[in-house]
Amino acid sequence: MSVLRLHPQKCTGCLRCELACSYMQTGEFQPAKSVIRVSPFEGHTSYAPYTCTQCAEGWCMTACPVGAITINAVGAKDVLDDKCVGCKLCTIACPYGTMFYDPGTRKAFKCNLCGGAPACAEACPTAAITYEDVATADWLGDFAVERTARVLAEAR
Amino acid sequence: MTPATLTAPKQLKTTSTATTRPGGYAGNLLRVDLTRRTCRAEPWGPEMMRELLGGVGLGAMILYRETAAKGGKGNVSWDHPDNRLVLATGPLAGLPVWGTGGLTVCTIGAGTNGPTSTQANGFFGTNLKYCGYDAIMVQGQSKDWVYLYINDDVVELRDARSLVGLDTWETQGALYKETGLAGHQLSVYSIGPAGENLVRFAAIQGDYGHVASKNGCGAVMGKKRLKAVAIVKGTKSLRAADPRGVVQAAEEIAHDLRTDASARSLYEYGTLPGVVNLSKMGALPIKNYTTNLTSNVAGADMSVWEAPKLRENFDHRGHQCNACGMHHCHMSVIRHGDQKGKIVDEPEYEGWSGCGWAIGAADRDGVAWLNTQCDRACVDVNEWGWLCGWVMECQEKGYITKEQLGFELKWGDVKGSNRLLQMVSRREGFGNILAEGVKRAAEKLGGPAKECAIYIEKGATPRGHDHRSRWEEMLDTCTSSTATMETGNPVHPTEIGQPARINPFDGEQVAKYVAGLRGRRSFEDSLGICIFTSRTRLEYICRALSAATGWAFTVDDALRFGKRTAAINRATALRCGHTGAMEYPSTRYGSTPVDGPAKGQAIRAQWEKMLDTWYAEVGFDRKTGKPLPKTLKELGLEWLARDLWGKKA
Amino acid sequence: MAARHLIIGGGTAGMNAIRTIREEESEKSSITLVSAERPYSRMVLPYYLDRSIAESHVFTATARVLADWGVTAHLGKRVTALDTAANTCTLDDGTAIPYDDCLIATGSSAVRAPVPGADLPGVHSFWTLDEARGVIAQIQPGSHVVMVGAGFIAFTILNSILSLGAKLTIVEIAPRILPRMIDDTGAALVQTWLKDHGVTVRTGAKVARIEDAKGKKRLKFASGDLTCDVVIMATGIKTNLEWLKGSAVKVNQGIVVDDYLRSSVPNVYAGGDVAEGRDLISQKPAVHAIEPTAQEHGRVVGANMAGKNVRYRGSLIINIVEVCHLDVASFGAWDDAGAEAASGVKADRPAYRKLLWRGDRLTGAIILGRSGDIWTVNDVGMLKGLVQSGVSLGRWKEYLKKNPFDVKPAFIASKTTSTLLPETVLGRPSKAPGETPVAV
Ligand SMILES: Cc1cc2nc3c(=O)[nH]c(=O)nc-3n(C[C@H](O)[C@H](O)[C@H](O)COP(=O)(O)OP(=O)(O)OC[C@H]3O[C@@H](n4cnc5c(N)ncnc54)[C@H](O)[C@@H]3O)c2cc1C
Ligand code: SF4
Ligand code: SF4
Ligand code: SF4
């Protein structure tokens, strides 16, 4: 399956992906509802997008007491709104922190790869997010190690 | 230490006008009274939005309406509690058009003691709009240092005493710590020591490297004892009347910026190419306008100043503003020299000129470092260049002695410049005189020293070019009501009926051209969008605005709107005591280049004529400076005509 | 002959086991389910209570689905005895069911505090669907509800009661609320939060007696009586294992199981609330009585019944409850007195965190934050990930001690993601719930 491949070196922290995601998922511009999140690293010189890995276990999916999370046609774990009761178990089950909950709708929400045309990848001006048929991986780890060295040194 | 409660904080009542509100707007203005320590959300309606848009459109009106001196003629001065500090976004802020984090600051500034319109980008506009506000209007004066904290409906003035003395980057860091937030989750615009100490050219700096630099707006903040504004990325949603239309217009603009010949280099390298390009036109200011030859700067090798080399000299990392795809803003890690390992924001062209060429410095690492020092102290890099360059020249010529200054400051000495910067920001020793800005310091010293100083008689200083070969901007800057260019930086002039090219040294053509471009800048600065990402066709911007708001906004509407805004600012400026007599460059600023591409081009010889033409073209009265009643009526400003001309209008 | 699997209890563990057997087996086996209740999810009952879902929504398998899955179901029947020598169980109607292997997943039930009057009509428990129906019928807008007990289960229905427009008073015998879910500081914060949101909480209050009072109920205390319309007793639960007495299955706090979830009788498995399995953090046996543990137990048992040999690495305690738009969550060994701990409060956001370490591994965490607060949600999951993966935090430990609110960089730079990605419960990617094969 295709996954979101993240290229943190290219990310400028413009948050365009968040904006596009929220628009695609909700029809309004509200990055607070984006399921891709850009995090800062050292001294505001480094940013990287972060989203659901569509992990093999699917902790969110197996935790849901009512089977409200399924796997959609492009292989993404996807919340079925009419089944979700809003119990939040998935939000504490996902060990990556990429299950979200909307108090307005009382539903959980997550990245569903926009059904195969991810808005974030399309919106990113620097191609820091690409949609590719590769195995999912820890795209940010090495980058984060390098770009937090200073933060860690300062924290001492 | 753990306080015993998690308080459900007091929330402001905000009125939801979602059904009638044009798209793109958050719907509330935030009124902050520092004297009374109150924060209030004031809803504003669709008519007012249509009339004032946001940014300088809104700010100009607030200044005009609210800063008249009580019981009599004139205006409150910049340091009066009744002065307003308007921090405004606009209808495009927070939308996916490139560069929509915009902040426009409008206030009676400390430089000219008149109105201001100065911009910064970053994430101010985005975060504020998502919290539910289109602008912040600050008034009054706090007893103790405070900062304004905004998190959706939670708006508070908080104790900032522990932040006093911190520079702007340290302030942001401290507020990150205090709130437990990081990155763009919290947008912080603050002042450093220069603002606290009322340095007349203190700026407001935000989000690591974005500076609203003009007219001492930082001093206004300092006078109000408002150390910072910290805005959590809100959780409210922004609607657009036609969201697809906004996305499409954004694409159109992006495509234009990427491909259009005039925008492309900006797209790739931001303002970096300016250094080499302007040096070829004689518009790079060198050593306080004493020369236009880069070879007169020790160690200058222009080949390393080409944009790619300039950028690659550093370990550079993109640091874009909201939703922006330009390769403009960057953070850089210095790779060489004394400051190796330090993080700086990649200087804009104005940084390279102000902290570099204008003071005879060509060491890129040192200049970049000094530029960030200015940002951190919250000092306008442009005025810093004129001030520091002037001190250097005066020392060289013996007009300012080593004893007076306390040390020796030679051309190109960035460390010395930083030493001076720290003295000025803290008003120490001679720094206290310099903190008054170039004009006032020069006047204080008088004599030949004054002759070397670059300023406008209103009290402002120009942006970081040598305007002796960029006459449009000198004229614009001198006639402007907002302490910096008011029309400037033309793009696609033919789109608004102006010639593609003029003879830059023909005063008549220049004046007509400047007058003819009028309106566009004020329009752009009302949208919450970046000056650089609006370097596209006005038509596209209007399309984005129309899609966002649901209005059918045309290019004509845009220009008319801009002219109206400029007229209102002019009215406020006049009330502040600005006169035609102040619309002159200082001796040095208006002098004739002695070398370089513009050698011998004497603007002063044509100045009067240029003013005449300009006044006639814009429809202002040459004697009083007022917009003529006819002009105002054409703009639909009958009320202003009555205000300015009385019944006879 | 195909294997005969017997599942006792059609709750979370039982249904997960059945589904997994069907997912994993290569040859279709015979599955028999005996369950005192129709299969439904208990933890969804609060949403039925506040009427945001219909009753039908709580069921995890209809008769039709069970039939499709080829399950022989005895619903509404109880198992009364298990003969592990004869490999037969007996139902309350006398039916005897032989099996090759069996899963005991009979869950728990509510127990009421031994207070005179606790068995009066109008005094409720809230654990089963039947009990939920009883409570629903009683609460009207404006009703005054008294909840006796301030534990986790009480809190799961708190929001529902309030959203029905009822007035709520919580009484708790202990000096503090949520004793088994968060620490003292967190509990104090939640208690004030509740007060700010109009919920009266009386801690250290011992109910002496409950009596009828003209159609209402009166709760007697040493001082200050309470009169109300509805009493809900959320005073604890016990495992449903009485019927197992005298069998060969070894029971401690719960049924003692090995890493394959087998009891002392090798062809008898146990899972969910009744099982005393390995706790991931302490590595010691424990009874969790939470949904995720029941799910994982059920799946592992199902796979093992289907002939796989899945070793279970242990379950992690994770809990979340929403209290008037404040999310309260805890993970792992949050109450480990021997751990190194750091905490922080951001009163205005509002947020509280406590992180606990053994060595440089995060072993427990408590997190309080505004519900739907995007940054809290992100961190909630990441804290779970840090505890679950047990990554070595190295210098990030010190960083987190100083900055407990800045979890993201620590999580990412510790490469938690690469540790987690290969982790699965069954050693293979999970299947979607609807994907279970109907027949193999
Ligand atoms: C209101 C409420 C809210 C909850 N909220 C949460 C939450 O937010 N998070 C969380 O982690 N957990 C929560 N729980 C707990 C969670 O529901 C249980 O931990 C979980 O259901 C345990 O699953 P189980 O399979 O072990 O038992 P159960 O789901 O209880 O299933 C046991 C089954 O066995 C049947 N049974 C019992 N005795 C016999 C017998 N002798 N013969 C045949 N059948 C029998 C029962 O009828 C039932 O069908 C909540 C529980 C309740 C009641
Ligand atoms: S939300 Fe989390 S648990 Fe669910 S698929 Fe994505 S990473 Fe896995
Ligand atoms: S919140 Fe919704 S999707 Fe998540 S576990 Fe609960 S019911 Fe399932
Ligand atoms: S759009 Fe691309 S560059 Fe911008 S923040 Fe997202 S990933 Fe980074």
Side-chain angles (χ1 to χ4, degrees), chain B residues 478-499:
Chain B
C478 288
T479 53
S480 160
S481 311
T482 59
T484 183
M485 63 170 181
E486 200 170 21
T487 49
N489 244 1
V491 270
H492 302 297
T494 51
E495 189 192 11
I496 53 176
Q498 294 306 307

Side-chain angles (χ1 to χ4, degrees), chain C residues 9 11-13 35-37 42-43 79 106-107 127 272-273 289-292 294:
Chain C
T12 306
S35 185
E37 296 167 277
R42 299 205 194 289
M43 68 167 287
V79 174
T106 47
W127 187 261
D273 287 8
I290 57 168
E291 181 82 8

